[in-house]
Amino acid sequence: MFPKRVGLIVWINDFKAARNLERIGHIHFISKRMNYCILYVNEKDMDKTMAYLQKLSFVKKVERSYRTEIKTDYSSKTVIE
């Protein structure tokens, strides 16, 4: 029903130019201090999108976010006596 989304961390040189990333995917967060942007794109287009982002002049580096692969089910099995 809904396409599976994946997060990309895009390290940028120019904050104003990073606004152009809105046409590539959904911008979730932009850090002015650390100069990075979190961008969500469709999983099937991830490789093509990463290659395109690497070619942009204001992009330093593109990394994949592994947030979806981290276990978030926490259980406490300790017994307090």
Side-chain angles (χ1 to χ4, degrees):
M1 182 186 224
F2 292 109
K4 187 153 177 155
R5 307 285 275 172
V6 67
L8 297 176
I9 302 164
V10 183
W11 297 92
I12 54 178
N13 292 325
D14 185 17
F15 172 72
K16 288 186 179 182
R19 293 298 210 173
N20 294 327
L21 296 176
E22 289 179 344
R23 57 191 170 93
I24 298 170
H26 175 74
I27 294 178
H28 181 70
F29 179 74
I30 296 177
S31 172
K32 292 180 183 178
R33 185 170 58 94
M34 294 186 62
N35 295 328
Y36 74 92
C37 173
I38 298 178
L39 181 73
Y40 281 94
V41 297
N42 292 338
E43 186 177 40
K44 65 178 183 173
D45 300 331
M46 181 184 68
D47 295 328
K48 187 171 44 172
T49 304
M50 285 179 74
Y52 176 73
L53 289 171
Q54 289 286 347
K55 293 178 184 178
L56 296 176
S57 61
F58 60 90
V59 173
K60 290 182 199 175
K61 180 172 62 168
V62 179
E63 298 176 355
R64 184 179 182 277
S65 173
Y66 293 102
R67 184 174 186 268
T68 57
E69 298 172 9
I70 296 174
K71 180 182 162 191
T72 56
D73 183 27
Y74 305 110
S75 63
S76 176
K77 295 186 180 182
T78 57
V79 177
I80 300 173
E81 292 182 26

mmCIF file of all heavy atoms in Angstrom, residues 8-19 21 27-39 58 60:
data_model
loop_
_atom_site.group_PDB
_atom_site.id
_atom_site.type_symbol
_atom_site.label_atom_id
_atom_site.label_comp_id
_atom_site.label_asym_id
_atom_site.label_seq_id
_atom_site.Cartn_x
_atom_site.Cartn_y
_atom_site.Cartn_z
ATOM 1 N N LEU A 8 18.174 9.063 4.583
ATOM 2 C CA LEU A 8 19.526 9.370 4.116
ATOM 3 C C LEU A 8 20.028 10.578 4.897
ATOM 4 O O LEU A 8 19.298 11.536 5.109
ATOM 5 C CB LEU A 8 19.538 9.689 2.626
ATOM 6 C CG LEU A 8 19.117 8.591 1.673
ATOM 7 C CD1 LEU A 8 19.103 9.117 0.243
ATOM 8 C CD2 LEU A 8 20.033 7.410 1.779
ATOM 9 N N ILE A 9 21.279 10.500 5.313
ATOM 10 C CA ILE A 9 21.920 11.628 5.994
ATOM 11 C C ILE A 9 22.825 12.298 4.969
ATOM 12 O O ILE A 9 23.754 11.684 4.462
ATOM 13 C CB ILE A 9 22.716 11.157 7.212
ATOM 14 C CG1 ILE A 9 21.778 10.429 8.166
ATOM 15 C CG2 ILE A 9 23.393 12.333 7.891
ATOM 16 C CD1 ILE A 9 22.470 9.611 9.197
ATOM 17 N N VAL A 10 22.521 13.528 4.640
ATOM 18 C CA VAL A 10 23.238 14.263 3.598
ATOM 19 C C VAL A 10 24.040 15.373 4.273
ATOM 20 O O VAL A 10 23.470 16.287 4.865
ATOM 21 C CB VAL A 10 22.261 14.858 2.563
ATOM 22 C CG1 VAL A 10 23.012 15.556 1.452
ATOM 23 C CG2 VAL A 10 21.345 13.787 2.003
ATOM 24 N N TRP A 11 25.363 15.283 4.203
ATOM 25 C CA TRP A 11 26.253 16.316 4.750
ATOM 26 C C TRP A 11 26.417 17.383 3.693
ATOM 27 O O TRP A 11 26.768 17.093 2.548
ATOM 28 C CB TRP A 11 27.591 15.705 5.134
ATOM 29 C CG TRP A 11 27.446 14.685 6.218
ATOM 30 C CD1 TRP A 11 27.263 13.348 6.063
ATOM 31 C CD2 TRP A 11 27.440 14.930 7.621
ATOM 32 N NE1 TRP A 11 27.139 12.744 7.286
ATOM 33 C CE2 TRP A 11 27.256 13.690 8.261
ATOM 34 C CE3 TRP A 11 27.578 16.075 8.399
ATOM 35 C CZ2 TRP A 11 27.200 13.565 9.643
ATOM 36 C CZ3 TRP A 11 27.532 15.952 9.773
ATOM 37 C CH2 TRP A 11 27.346 14.716 10.379
ATOM 38 N N ILE A 12 26.166 18.653 4.064
ATOM 39 C CA ILE A 12 26.096 19.740 3.090
ATOM 40 C C ILE A 12 27.115 20.837 3.391
ATOM 41 O O ILE A 12 27.573 20.984 4.514
ATOM 42 C CB ILE A 12 24.684 20.349 3.061
ATOM 43 C CG1 ILE A 12 24.243 20.770 4.465
ATOM 44 C CG2 ILE A 12 23.688 19.376 2.464
ATOM 45 C CD1 ILE A 12 22.904 21.411 4.552
ATOM 46 N N ASN A 13 27.451 21.589 2.350
ATOM 47 C CA ASN A 13 28.325 22.752 2.478
ATOM 48 C C ASN A 13 27.525 24.045 2.642
ATOM 49 O O ASN A 13 27.927 24.936 3.367
ATOM 50 C CB ASN A 13 29.216 22.906 1.243
ATOM 51 C CG ASN A 13 30.230 21.818 1.121
ATOM 52 O OD1 ASN A 13 30.744 21.338 2.118
ATOM 53 N ND2 ASN A 13 30.513 21.405 -0.100
ATOM 54 N N ASP A 14 26.411 24.143 1.940
ATOM 55 C CA ASP A 14 25.635 25.376 1.887
ATOM 56 C C ASP A 14 24.211 25.113 2.366
ATOM 57 O O ASP A 14 23.498 24.280 1.806
ATOM 58 C CB ASP A 14 25.626 25.900 0.453
ATOM 59 C CG ASP A 14 24.954 27.247 0.316
ATOM 60 O OD1 ASP A 14 24.781 27.931 1.346
ATOM 61 O OD2 ASP A 14 24.598 27.611 -0.815
ATOM 62 N N PHE A 15 23.794 25.810 3.408
ATOM 63 C CA PHE A 15 22.468 25.615 3.980
ATOM 64 C C PHE A 15 21.364 26.024 3.017
ATOM 65 O O PHE A 15 20.358 25.334 2.864
ATOM 66 C CB PHE A 15 22.356 26.396 5.280
ATOM 67 C CG PHE A 15 20.974 26.415 5.844
ATOM 68 C CD1 PHE A 15 20.433 25.276 6.416
ATOM 69 C CD2 PHE A 15 20.210 27.564 5.809
ATOM 70 C CE1 PHE A 15 19.153 25.289 6.925
ATOM 71 C CE2 PHE A 15 18.939 27.589 6.312
ATOM 72 C CZ PHE A 15 18.410 26.450 6.880
ATOM 73 N N LYS A 16 21.529 27.153 2.356
ATOM 74 C CA LYS A 16 20.486 27.624 1.442
ATOM 75 C C LYS A 16 20.301 26.700 0.247
ATOM 76 O O LYS A 16 19.197 26.486 -0.224
ATOM 77 C CB LYS A 16 20.803 29.040 0.966
ATOM 78 C CG LYS A 16 20.612 30.071 2.043
ATOM 79 C CD LYS A 16 20.795 31.472 1.504
ATOM 80 C CE LYS A 16 20.580 32.482 2.606
ATOM 81 N NZ LYS A 16 20.707 33.843 2.141
ATOM 82 N N ALA A 17 21.373 26.143 -0.240
ATOM 83 C CA ALA A 17 21.280 25.218 -1.368
ATOM 84 C C ALA A 17 20.612 23.911 -0.955
ATOM 85 O O ALA A 17 20.021 23.226 -1.786
ATOM 86 C CB ALA A 17 22.663 24.944 -1.938
ATOM 87 N N ALA A 18 20.667 23.574 0.321
ATOM 88 C CA ALA A 18 20.055 22.332 0.807
ATOM 89 C C ALA A 18 18.540 22.367 0.699
ATOM 90 O O ALA A 18 17.898 21.321 0.680
ATOM 91 C CB ALA A 18 20.471 22.081 2.246
ATOM 92 N N ARG A 19 17.958 23.525 0.625
ATOM 93 C CA ARG A 19 16.513 23.637 0.426
ATOM 94 C C ARG A 19 16.075 23.002 -0.889
ATOM 95 O O ARG A 19 14.925 22.610 -1.042
ATOM 96 C CB ARG A 19 16.071 25.097 0.456
ATOM 97 C CG ARG A 19 16.235 25.746 1.785
ATOM 98 C CD ARG A 19 15.391 25.055 2.787
ATOM 99 N NE ARG A 19 14.974 25.972 3.822
ATOM 100 C CZ ARG A 19 14.119 25.649 4.748
ATOM 101 N NH1 ARG A 19 13.584 24.464 4.766
ATOM 102 N NH2 ARG A 19 13.796 26.492 5.683
ATOM 103 N N LEU A 21 16.817 20.175 -1.874
ATOM 104 C CA LEU A 21 16.628 18.740 -1.677
ATOM 105 C C LEU A 21 15.160 18.369 -1.517
ATOM 106 O O LEU A 21 14.812 17.198 -1.591
ATOM 107 C CB LEU A 21 17.418 18.274 -0.452
ATOM 108 C CG LEU A 21 18.929 18.404 -0.536
ATOM 109 C CD1 LEU A 21 19.560 17.999 0.787
ATOM 110 C CD2 LEU A 21 19.479 17.565 -1.660
ATOM 111 N N ILE A 27 12.256 16.213 3.386
ATOM 112 C CA ILE A 27 13.244 16.679 4.356
ATOM 113 C C ILE A 27 12.621 16.587 5.736
ATOM 114 O O ILE A 27 11.578 17.187 6.012
ATOM 115 C CB ILE A 27 13.685 18.123 4.069
ATOM 116 C CG1 ILE A 27 14.428 18.191 2.750
ATOM 117 C CG2 ILE A 27 14.563 18.643 5.197
ATOM 118 C CD1 ILE A 27 14.857 19.579 2.362
ATOM 119 N N HIS A 28 13.264 15.821 6.609
ATOM 120 C CA HIS A 28 12.768 15.659 7.972
ATOM 121 C C HIS A 28 13.424 16.668 8.916
ATOM 122 O O HIS A 28 12.764 17.201 9.805
ATOM 123 C CB HIS A 28 13.037 14.232 8.459
ATOM 124 C CG HIS A 28 12.539 13.958 9.826
ATOM 125 N ND1 HIS A 28 11.194 13.869 10.115
ATOM 126 C CD2 HIS A 28 13.185 13.788 11.006
ATOM 127 C CE1 HIS A 28 11.045 13.636 11.399
ATOM 128 N NE2 HIS A 28 12.246 13.584 11.966
ATOM 129 N N PHE A 29 14.708 16.932 8.720
ATOM 130 C CA PHE A 29 15.440 17.823 9.626
ATOM 131 C C PHE A 29 16.650 18.385 8.912
ATOM 132 O O PHE A 29 17.313 17.690 8.155
ATOM 133 C CB PHE A 29 15.892 17.039 10.870
ATOM 134 C CG PHE A 29 16.664 17.833 11.860
ATOM 135 C CD1 PHE A 29 16.049 18.766 12.670
ATOM 136 C CD2 PHE A 29 18.031 17.664 11.986
ATOM 137 C CE1 PHE A 29 16.768 19.500 13.585
ATOM 138 C CE2 PHE A 29 18.760 18.389 12.903
ATOM 139 C CZ PHE A 29 18.121 19.315 13.706
ATOM 140 N N ILE A 30 16.952 19.661 9.179
ATOM 141 C CA ILE A 30 18.172 20.293 8.683
ATOM 142 C C ILE A 30 18.885 20.928 9.875
ATOM 143 O O ILE A 30 18.290 21.703 10.610
ATOM 144 C CB ILE A 30 17.893 21.374 7.625
ATOM 145 C CG1 ILE A 30 17.257 20.774 6.388
ATOM 146 C CG2 ILE A 30 19.177 22.095 7.244
ATOM 147 C CD1 ILE A 30 16.893 21.793 5.334
ATOM 148 N N SER A 31 20.147 20.573 10.066
ATOM 149 C CA SER A 31 20.945 21.147 11.149
ATOM 150 C C SER A 31 21.830 22.246 10.574
ATOM 151 O O SER A 31 22.699 21.981 9.739
ATOM 152 C CB SER A 31 21.810 20.070 11.804
ATOM 153 O OG SER A 31 22.711 20.659 12.710
ATOM 154 N N LYS A 32 21.612 23.470 11.038
ATOM 155 C CA LYS A 32 22.440 24.583 10.581
ATOM 156 C C LYS A 32 23.822 24.533 11.218
ATOM 157 O O LYS A 32 24.811 24.885 10.598
ATOM 158 C CB LYS A 32 21.775 25.912 10.936
ATOM 159 C CG LYS A 32 20.507 26.193 10.194
ATOM 160 C CD LYS A 32 19.942 27.538 10.622
ATOM 161 C CE LYS A 32 18.625 27.817 9.953
ATOM 162 N NZ LYS A 32 18.052 29.092 10.381
ATOM 163 N N ARG A 33 23.878 24.079 12.460
ATOM 164 C CA ARG A 33 25.141 24.074 13.190
ATOM 165 C C ARG A 33 26.081 22.982 12.689
ATOM 166 O O ARG A 33 27.274 23.211 12.512
ATOM 167 C CB ARG A 33 24.873 23.895 14.679
ATOM 168 C CG ARG A 33 26.110 24.000 15.543
ATOM 169 C CD ARG A 33 25.788 24.049 17.020
ATOM 170 N NE ARG A 33 25.042 22.907 17.491
ATOM 171 C CZ ARG A 33 25.600 21.822 18.030
ATOM 172 N NH1 ARG A 33 26.897 21.755 18.163
ATOM 173 N NH2 ARG A 33 24.856 20.833 18.441
ATOM 174 N N MET A 34 25.544 21.770 12.467
ATOM 175 C CA MET A 34 26.400 20.656 12.060
ATOM 176 C C MET A 34 26.387 20.417 10.553
ATOM 177 O O MET A 34 27.078 19.534 10.056
ATOM 178 C CB MET A 34 25.990 19.393 12.807
ATOM 179 C CG MET A 34 26.268 19.513 14.294
ATOM 180 S SD MET A 34 25.968 18.005 15.183
ATOM 181 C CE MET A 34 27.133 16.909 14.456
ATOM 182 N N ASN A 35 25.600 21.174 9.819
ATOM 183 C CA ASN A 35 25.549 21.126 8.353
ATOM 184 C C ASN A 35 25.199 19.747 7.803
ATOM 185 O O ASN A 35 25.915 19.175 6.997
ATOM 186 C CB ASN A 35 26.860 21.604 7.749
ATOM 187 C CG ASN A 35 27.108 23.057 8.036
ATOM 188 O OD1 ASN A 35 26.167 23.836 8.131
ATOM 189 N ND2 ASN A 35 28.355 23.426 8.192
ATOM 190 N N TYR A 36 24.069 19.218 8.245
ATOM 191 C CA TYR A 36 23.566 17.989 7.661
ATOM 192 C C TYR A 36 22.056 18.056 7.541
ATOM 193 O O TYR A 36 21.398 18.893 8.141
ATOM 194 C CB TYR A 36 23.990 16.751 8.454
ATOM 195 C CG TYR A 36 23.281 16.548 9.763
ATOM 196 C CD1 TYR A 36 22.126 15.782 9.828
ATOM 197 C CD2 TYR A 36 23.758 17.108 10.932
ATOM 198 C CE1 TYR A 36 21.471 15.585 11.028
ATOM 199 C CE2 TYR A 36 23.116 16.913 12.132
ATOM 200 C CZ TYR A 36 21.965 16.145 12.174
ATOM 201 O OH TYR A 36 21.321 15.951 13.349
ATOM 202 N N CYS A 37 21.526 17.155 6.735
ATOM 203 C CA CYS A 37 20.105 17.111 6.464
ATOM 204 C C CYS A 37 19.655 15.656 6.494
ATOM 205 O O CYS A 37 20.360 14.786 5.985
ATOM 206 C CB CYS A 37 19.850 17.727 5.097
ATOM 207 S SG CYS A 37 18.176 17.564 4.517
ATOM 208 N N ILE A 38 18.501 15.379 7.085
ATOM 209 C CA ILE A 38 17.934 14.039 7.050
ATOM 210 C C ILE A 38 16.820 14.046 6.021
ATOM 211 O O ILE A 38 15.884 14.842 6.105
ATOM 212 C CB ILE A 38 17.410 13.615 8.430
ATOM 213 C CG1 ILE A 38 18.568 13.580 9.418
ATOM 214 C CG2 ILE A 38 16.718 12.259 8.341
ATOM 215 C CD1 ILE A 38 18.183 13.233 10.807
ATOM 216 N N LEU A 39 16.956 13.175 5.046
ATOM 217 C CA LEU A 39 16.071 13.140 3.893
ATOM 218 C C LEU A 39 15.485 11.745 3.764
ATOM 219 O O LEU A 39 16.219 10.763 3.848
ATOM 220 C CB LEU A 39 16.891 13.492 2.644
ATOM 221 C CG LEU A 39 16.213 13.539 1.308
ATOM 222 C CD1 LEU A 39 15.346 14.784 1.217
ATOM 223 C CD2 LEU A 39 17.262 13.575 0.207
ATOM 224 N N PHE A 58 26.985 21.074 -3.622
ATOM 225 C CA PHE A 58 26.918 21.472 -2.219
ATOM 226 C C PHE A 58 26.867 20.286 -1.253
ATOM 227 O O PHE A 58 26.760 20.483 -0.045
ATOM 228 C CB PHE A 58 25.711 22.392 -1.975
ATOM 229 C CG PHE A 58 24.383 21.772 -2.306
ATOM 230 C CD1 PHE A 58 23.676 21.080 -1.355
ATOM 231 C CD2 PHE A 58 23.848 21.909 -3.579
ATOM 232 C CE1 PHE A 58 22.455 20.527 -1.646
ATOM 233 C CE2 PHE A 58 22.631 21.360 -3.886
ATOM 234 C CZ PHE A 58 21.927 20.667 -2.912
ATOM 235 N N LYS A 60 28.680 17.161 0.617
ATOM 236 C CA LYS A 60 29.977 16.587 0.985
ATOM 237 C C LYS A 60 29.943 15.073 0.941
ATOM 238 O O LYS A 60 30.811 14.436 0.352
ATOM 239 C CB LYS A 60 30.356 16.990 2.416
ATOM 240 C CG LYS A 60 30.702 18.413 2.625
ATOM 241 C CD LYS A 60 31.106 18.597 4.086
ATOM 242 C CE LYS A 60 31.033 20.039 4.492
ATOM 243 N NZ LYS A 60 31.301 20.200 5.923
#
